Amino acid sequence: ATAEAAQQAGFTVALIGVGGLQNVIDRVPSDTRLLRLAGAEHVALSAPSGVSIETHIVYEAVALNLPKDVRNLDEMGLRVLLHSAAAARQFDREAHRLALRRDQITLFAIGPRVASAAGKGWADIHVAESPNDRVMLELVRARCI
């Protein structure tokens, strides 16, 4: 989806990868210079020999507190979708702060790293087979219908 959007914006797409940026970086030819536009919290990359990566931080996710009214919903069996490790850690902190019934909450994580960051004690944690929204939403649909 990102490659398609880049092409529609007039960019040339040389490589497409699945499962994280490192999988693409590992296939980049030697003597390549890359510009990485990233969030303040991002996964470290290892550049192959002859490849340089210049990283610029272009956004930062700011954690917000959940409203106290969420406590009224947790007994309904909440389903929470987590797209980043930062979001998973924040939801874990908020669940503690609000004393949510973790055993009544099912998490859906976009990848294993996100699931790991969510902590323990949840009713269940499901992890998407590949890290993209479509696959994650298909998993949610299959588990919630």
Side-chain angles (χ1 to χ4, degrees):
T2 303
E4 185 177 308
Q7 288 172 326
Q8 289 176 358
F11 290 95
T12 301
V13 176
L15 292 170
I16 298 172
V18 176
L21 186 55
Q22 187 66 55
N23 294 331
V24 175
I25 298 298
D26 291 341
R27 299 185 335 223
V28 171
S30 187
D31 297 327
T32 300
R33 292 178 53 213
L34 300 172
L35 170 63
R36 181 183 190 194
L37 305 177
E41 180 177 323
H42 55 273
V43 174
L45 297 174
S46 176
S49 179
V51 174
S52 67
I53 303 171
E54 184 175 334
T55 301
H56 288 271
I57 306 305
V58 296
Y59 71 92
E60 180 177 9
V62 177
L64 299 175
N65 291 340
L66 290 171
K68 289 180 180 159
D69 292 346
V70 170
R71 274 186 274 174
N72 300 330
L73 301 175
D74 72 341
E75 291 183 23
M76 296 173 57
L78 291 177
R79 306 300 186 255
V80 178
L81 283 64
L82 299 168
H83 284 78
S84 72
R89 286 190 298 274
Q90 176 64 9
F91 188 73
D92 182 44
R93 284 190 295 268
E94 286 296 286
H96 282 293
R97 182 180 71 84
L98 294 173
L100 297 180
R101 293 196 50 204
R102 297 164 87 84
D103 63 335
Q104 296 294 314
I105 300 172
T106 299
L107 303 181
F108 292 88
I110 200 159
R113 187 175 62 85
V114 175
S116 176
K120 303 210 180 295
W122 307 105
D124 209 346
I125 299 178
H126 302 284
V127 181
E129 288 182 15
S130 63
N132 71 60
D133 289 332
R134 182 185 54 75
V135 172
M136 185 176 177
L137 291 172
E138 287 172 1
L139 175 63
V140 171
R141 184 176 183 196
R143 297 289 181 167
C144 293
I145 294 179

